[in-house]
Amino acid sequence: MLCAICKQSFQQSIAAVRPNWFLTGYLHSSLRSFKDSVQEGCFICYQVSKHIAHQPGRGEKWLDNTLSTIGSEGNRWGIPLIMYTLSPYKEEYIIGWQGLYVGTTNFLTGYLAPFTFSPIDPHTAVPEIASRSISTADAKDLWSYWFRTCSESHPACREQELGLQPFVPRRLVEIHDSDGTLQWRLVCDSDIKTTTYLTLSHCWGGSTHLRLVQDKLACFQEKQPESDLPKTFRDAMRIALSLKVPYIWIDSLCIIQDSTEDWKSQSTLMGLIYQNAVCNIAASWGERSDAGCFSARPLHTRPDRSTTIMVDKGRGPEEYLARYVGAYESDITNAPLNTRGWVVQERYLARRQLSFAKSQVYWECLELTASEDRPEGTQPQNPFRRTLSCLKPGLTSVEEAHLRGLWSLVVMTYSRCALTKSSDKAVALAGLAGEMKSATNDNYLAGLWEKDIETQLLWKRYGLNPPRQYRMPTYIAPSWSWMSFDGPVAYDPRYGQPLTQTTPDHPGVAFVKVSKASIELVGPDTTHGFVSGTLELRGIAIWATATLVSLPAEYGPEYTLNPVGAINALSDVLQRPAVVLIFWDENVSSKQEDEEGWRRLEQQREQKLLFMFISTYGWQGLILEKVPGDENKFRRLGLFNTDRESNGRCFDLSGAVRKRLGLELITKQEDVNLDDERLKDLVHTVTIAVVYEGLRMRPVSVGLLSKQVPLGGDIVDGIFLLGGVSVGMNMTSLLRSKSLFGDDANLFRPERFLDVEGKACAEMQHNVDLTFGYGRWICAGKLIAMMELNKIYFEVRNNVNGAYWPV
């Protein structure tokens, strides 16, 4: 409903405003009036109060406490509580916000989405939800209408369906309805007689719901009562029947949960499973499987006939419905379900999706995005806020140039999501990557694409100073890929534009060339199972150390670069401190947070580093360090940016390049020839690659427990391994290594440790400790050896009547 004050003010404003104009209006002259409207359930006042209440640095109940102690007086200085602007846009009227006052404090901080007033079509054929509906289950006729209309009359959706290859999952849940009581059973392989099925996206949470295990496979193929299932599954089955589709795929009922082999085979098919379903049901609001799809919604969360106003614009009275533009973002984008990593590809590959949110039901397909408050369809909420939700149309329906930018949004959304198992990071995106590969005919390189990989290298950790962020604890991807990072990332906003595209301020000239980009795989699928990666770059770079100047501010932490080596031609541009912004991939906000990590990163950042320039747009580039133990290889540590127009202290490397080449301006790619002798000491060729996993050295012995490299990394048999990497080792081969123990390594000669000193002795001792070590390096070999020694000891003791032998 709308309170009387909102109705009167908006009626007057809409009636008075003229095309191409806007006017200012006011709501509530006292906190008492505002409080009463919120308590009555005013649709607009409730959203405003929710925004004001969630202020940084204030208690959770501060606004409630303020409202509970107020009198009837207005705000001080006579300031109205709410000031808004109203402007016409096509047939609608947009309500923006100028001020939200409590006393003299304006709480218009952050982002509060606008409202709109839209005319209601009295002749629409779209089913109407009953006014004052208290459950999303009441929208059954509406979601059935969306599904039926899409299936019968959406050309793009039907064309997409005809382009699919025949596919049916290995298992489906078959639903039976007996006078309102549901039963279900699992149908497998050749018993499946249909290609029409639905899928379910849901949060498992901490639910210990019924799931398929090997012992129950036969039992599940007999009819089972719905009472054993969590509420989300039961609701989803009823939704399926309302769409006249008696088959549904649910992960925990269709994948054998205690079979690693079945999980591996089915998880790689997840993209196909969701893509070929006729519709995906998303239980968006529930944090657990027992929460359900349907929600009991508060009255003030959904617009209906009670949130309308009558306005006469000279054509007779017209009815306008109030709608909250931010509903989609709060209901869908920020829903608990969409914080799950697997759901990104589930939602994006699904041809159609019904999302059951807290306040209402939403529909998405190639031709229509609709909701209960906009049943006839709506445009994305806010075209200026780049989110995945604004771009639901599938990957096959847009041009390649658009796909590139679309992929960056996918990456940013996916990297913010959580995975129960971090090892799933590649496979949970494999289906979407495969679809993108088919659409672009490009090579997939662990989260990046070969065709324009230069610009994709400019990803960075999201957030200026997060408390603690590291790379993935186990190897997922090479350091130059965002997949190697455990946390949210941001792509360069210019990704999708070629480096040669120019703007008035920055001629986009590439200062780097990719000589080689490759990924080594553990299997035939190119979208996951990455073992190692190699990236060879040739471009302009300088060796330097970086000194912190200021802590993170608006733009990021500032450092001064101190070039290392004789680079005489840079003397002109280095007469003043060269200030750059550095965004390290890994971060620890304080020593108290993680002392070991803090010291490791501090030591890493104090060394001589290679700053390689990638793009002249903003003078961005990569920060690289040499891999200890392999001077010919590098790994990525972060991203730097020299573009700070606000303070005029940016590092003008282009000045040095222009001086050497005798140019006034660099305006095109041909101006920079990396083979020019005048740039010789500025051009570097680097290989960003680290061979991971001990199996790259030797085959893993069957039965050995893996060992984990300490966070600082370690050198094993002359090969550097990154911290956190799990390795397997062939003990027999290691202890007989002639490079470590000499030509007589096969002989039992303990005195060999006395024959050598220093580094050679330490290396021998280190490798012996790795084999029979302890702590992070402990293996089954040591435990087995101790068990055998104990066994021998007791056997000997029993045979000599308990006597001890001197050792």
Side-chain angles (χ1 to χ4, degrees):
M1 54 85 70
L2 293 179
C3 65
I5 291 176
C6 285
K7 276 193 173 186
Q8 181 180 11
S9 180
F10 290 129
Q11 281 175 330
Q12 293 173 351
S13 296
I14 293 175
V17 73
R18 296 293 179 261
N20 302 319
W21 286 75
F22 74 91
L23 54 78
T24 301
Y26 307 94
L27 300 173
H28 298 289
S29 59
S30 72
L31 287 172
R32 170 66 65 187
S33 168
F34 177 64
K35 173 187 175 182
D36 291 343
S37 293
V38 172
Q39 290 179 339
E40 289 172 9
C42 176
F43 178 57
I44 293 178
C45 293
Y46 170 78
Q47 296 294 343
V48 172
S49 71
K50 191 166 68 170
H51 173 82
I52 296 176
H54 290 84
Q55 296 296 320
R58 291 180 178 264
E60 186 176 342
K61 298 290 186 180
W62 80 270
L63 183 60
D64 290 341
N65 294 336
T66 300
L67 295 178
S68 66
T69 58
I70 58 174
S72 59
E73 72 281 355
N75 290 339
R76 292 178 60 191
W77 314 110
I79 301 175
L81 183 65
I82 301 171
M83 299 174 63
Y84 67 85
T85 59
L86 183 142
S87 55
Y89 177 73
K90 297 183 178 179
E91 295 182 351
E92 297 186 341
Y93 295 90
I94 300 176
I95 309 297
W97 309 105
Q98 278 194 327
L100 306 174
Y101 290 92
V102 176
T104 57
T105 303
N106 187 356
F107 287 98
L108 188 59
T109 57
Y111 174 77
L112 174 59
F115 284 78
T116 64
F117 277 92
S118 311
I120 296 177
D121 181 2
H123 307 295
T124 181
V126 178
E128 185 176 340
I129 309 299
S131 183
R132 314 292 283 187
S133 165
I134 60 173
S135 173
T136 52
D138 298 334
K140 175 182 173 181
D141 291 342
L142 180 58
W143 76 61
S144 299
Y145 168 83
W146 286 328
F147 180 76
R148 184 174 62 255
T149 302
C150 176
S151 302
E152 296 175 355
S153 60
H154 285 179
C157 297
R158 291 191 55 80
E159 181 181 355
Q160 183 189 38
E161 185 173 5
L162 293 173
L164 294 174
Q165 297 297 320
F167 174 85
V168 178
R170 186 176 181 185
R171 305 180 189 96
L172 286 173
V173 174
E174 186 179 72
I175 312 165
H176 299 268
D177 184 6
S178 177
D179 296 327
T181 301
L182 299 188
Q183 290 183 311
W184 63 275
R185 73 182 185 98
L186 199 64
V187 289
C188 308
D189 301 319
S190 60
D191 290 337
I192 299 176
K193 307 300 182 184
T194 183
T195 59
T196 302
Y197 65 94
L198 278 73
T199 49
L200 173 67
S201 292
H202 66 105
C203 288
W204 285 43
S207 174
T208 56
H209 59 265
L210 186 69
R211 59 197 68 185
L212 176 62
V213 293
Q214 296 181 71
D215 291 345
K216 293 190 180 234
L217 182 57
C219 174
F220 278 15
Q221 294 179 63
E222 303 295 331
K223 286 185 179 180
Q224 303 291 321
E226 68 167 323
S227 57
D228 294 335
L229 297 175
K231 189 175 186 302
T232 299
F233 294 5
R234 301 197 305 269
D235 288 350
M237 289 179 181
R238 283 177 164 77
I239 296 167
L241 292 179
S242 73
L243 300 177
K244 298 181 172 53
V245 181
Y247 293 92
I248 188 169
W249 188 90
I250 300 175
D251 51 6
S252 56
L253 297 181
C254 296
I255 299 178
I256 302 175
Q257 301 298 310
D258 60 349
S259 170
T260 302
E261 181 180 353
D262 194 64
W263 162 250
K264 286 182 178 179
S265 66
Q266 294 302 300
S267 62
T268 58
L269 298 174
M270 209 79 81
L272 283 173
I273 291 171
Y274 280 85
Q275 189 177 36
N276 283 271
V278 294
C279 186
N280 182 45
I281 299 169
S284 300
W285 72 277
E287 297 182 8
R288 296 164 51 96
S289 290
D290 50 15
C293 295
F294 308 131
S295 65
R297 52 190 171 202
L299 292 177
H300 49 244
T301 61
R302 186 186 72 87
D304 53 34
R305 288 291 180 179
S306 67
T307 63
T308 60
I309 58 175
M310 298 298 295
V311 180
D312 190 343
K313 297 282 291 182
R315 303 184 298 267
E318 294 179 278
E319 192 172 19
Y320 288 82
L321 176 67
R323 295 178 169 111
Y324 178 48
V325 174
Y328 194 100
E329 187 166 354
S330 60
D331 278 348
I332 301 298
T333 306
N334 298 329
L337 177 66
N338 289 321
T339 63
R340 286 186 57 228
W342 280 97
V343 171
V344 173
Q345 73 170 8
E346 291 173 7
R347 175 170 174 241
Y348 212 70
L349 290 178
R351 293 182 285 139
R352 305 177 182 96
Q353 176 155 308
L354 274 171
S355 298
F356 289 82
K358 188 68 175 177
S359 66
Q360 55 183 317
V361 182
Y362 292 81
W363 169 267
E364 292 175 305
C365 68
L366 284 180
E367 294 195 21
L368 179 68
T369 298
S371 57
E372 290 183 55
D373 66 345
R374 288 186 181 268
E376 71 286 349
T378 179
Q379 296 296 318
Q381 311 305 23
N382 187 341
F384 303 104
R385 292 170 69 83
R386 300 178 74 210
T387 62
L388 185 62
S389 62
C390 298
L391 298 165
K392 176 63 180 74
L395 294 175
T396 57
S397 63
V398 293
E399 298 178 355
E400 183 174 340
H402 188 190
L403 287 174
R404 300 289 173 177
L406 194 58
W407 181 257
S408 71
L409 297 182
V410 170
V411 169
M412 289 189 286
T413 300
Y414 182 68
S415 66
R416 285 160 174 73
C417 294
L419 290 164
T420 304
K421 297 179 180 179
S422 61
S423 57
D424 289 344
K425 188 162 189 176
V427 71
L429 198 63
L432 196 52
E435 185 71 10
M436 178 80 170
K437 182 177 180 179
S438 298
T440 61
N441 196 29
D442 202 351
N443 291 327
Y444 185 61
L445 301 173
L448 284 69
W449 300 96
E450 184 178 21
K451 183 176 179 179
D452 54 359
I453 195 170
E454 299 95 331
T455 45
Q456 296 169 76
L457 297 174
L458 297 174
W459 60 267
K460 66 182 178 181
R461 165 176 50 83
Y462 183 80
L464 293 181
N465 192 31
R468 179 167 53 181
Q469 287 183 332
Y470 294 130
R471 295 199 180 275
M472 299 296 290
T474 57
Y475 181 78
I476 300 295
S479 66
W480 40 267
S481 169
W482 59 269
M483 272 197 175
S484 68
F485 181 66
D486 188 12
V489 301
Y491 254 46
D492 181 356
R494 289 170 296 276
Y495 173 63
Q497 304 174 7
L499 282 177
T500 53
Q501 181 169 331
T502 60
T503 67
D505 297 325
H506 297 279
V509 177
F511 271 20
V512 67
K513 290 184 178 179
V514 177
S515 306
K516 178 183 179 181
S518 64
I519 288 290
E520 187 174 349
L521 301 161
V522 75
D525 196 321
T526 60
T527 59
H528 64 96
F530 313 121
V531 174
S532 65
T534 299
L535 181 67
E536 190 173 294
L537 302 177
R538 185 169 184 265
I540 292 179
I542 62 171
W543 284 101
T545 58
T547 304
L548 180 64
V549 176
S550 66
L551 294 174
E554 179 181 357
Y555 297 98
E558 292 184 340
Y559 288 76
T560 56
L561 288 189
N562 309 295
V564 176
I567 310 179
N568 297 327
L570 294 183
S571 59
D572 291 343
V573 297
L574 293 177
Q575 289 177 350
R576 58 187 180 186
V579 177
V580 297
L581 305 179
I582 290 182
F583 306 92
W584 302 104
D585 291 345
E586 298 185 284
N587 188 74
V588 178
S589 60
S590 67
K591 187 181 294 186
Q592 292 73 25
E593 183 76 25
D594 181 356
E595 185 170 355
E596 182 182 358
W598 173 274
R599 294 188 183 280
R600 175 176 64 86
L601 296 180
E602 186 178 47
Q603 182 180 9
Q604 192 179 71
R605 296 169 185 179
E606 289 175 349
Q607 65 180 317
K608 178 180 71 172
L609 301 170
L610 187 66
F611 291 76
M612 174 162 272
F613 290 80
I614 303 295
S615 169
T616 58
Y617 195 116
W619 292 104
Q620 299 179 87
L622 302 180
I623 306 171
L624 307 173
E625 74 161 348
K626 284 188 175 181
V627 173
D630 193 339
E631 293 293 302
N632 296 319
K633 291 186 174 63
F634 291 76
R635 63 178 171 183
R636 170 183 159 140
L637 297 185
L639 181 78
F640 71 94
N641 187 330
T642 71
D643 186 11
R644 275 293 303 276
E645 298 176 358
S646 60
N647 61 19
R649 293 185 295 162
C650 66
F651 179 29
D652 183 19
L653 181 68
S654 65
V657 175
R658 293 197 309 270
K659 180 177 180 180
R660 291 205 179 185
L661 298 178
L663 299 173
E664 292 187 7
L665 291 174
I666 297 175
T667 59
K668 56 185 180 300
Q669 188 64 51
E670 291 74 16
D671 290 340
V672 180
N673 181 4
L674 297 178
D675 295 323
D676 195 310
E677 283 292 319
R678 292 170 292 181
L679 299 177
K680 184 176 180 180
D681 65 332
L682 287 178
V683 175
H684 295 256
T685 299
V686 300
T687 300
I688 311 175
V690 179
V691 178
Y692 290 83
E693 306 292 353
L695 58 89
R696 303 258 64 80
M697 296 186 295
R698 303 179 177 85
V700 181
S701 296
V702 177
L704 287 184
L705 295 177
S706 65
K707 304 167 186 237
Q708 190 178 57
V709 181
L711 285 178
D714 207 342
I715 298 175
V716 180
D717 199 11
I719 297 177
F720 179 79
L721 298 178
L722 288 185
V725 171
S726 296
V727 298
M729 304 173 68
N730 187 323
M731 293 189 300
T732 303
S733 177
L734 181 63
L735 295 180
R736 291 181 178 180
S737 171
K738 292 183 179 180
S739 64
L740 287 173
F741 299 101
D743 293 337
D744 59 348
N746 288 331
L747 298 178
F748 177 72
R749 195 171 67 84
E751 60 270 23
R752 74 177 69 249
F753 289 90
L754 302 176
D755 296 340
V756 293
E757 297 179 354
K759 184 177 180 181
C761 182
E763 182 75 3
M764 289 166 52
Q765 292 175 345
H766 181 54
N767 280 274
V768 170
D769 192 44
L770 296 186
T771 305
F772 299 106
Y774 46 83
R776 287 181 175 170
W777 291 95
I778 197 169
C779 72
K782 179 179 179 181
L783 302 178
I784 294 171
M786 292 302 297
M787 291 169 60
E788 291 298 318
L789 286 174
N790 284 331
K791 180 179 177 182
I792 293 172
Y793 167 73
F794 283 108
E795 289 291 336
V796 171
R797 183 179 180 187
N798 289 337
N799 288 330
V800 296
N801 298 320
Y804 289 91
W805 287 10
V807 177

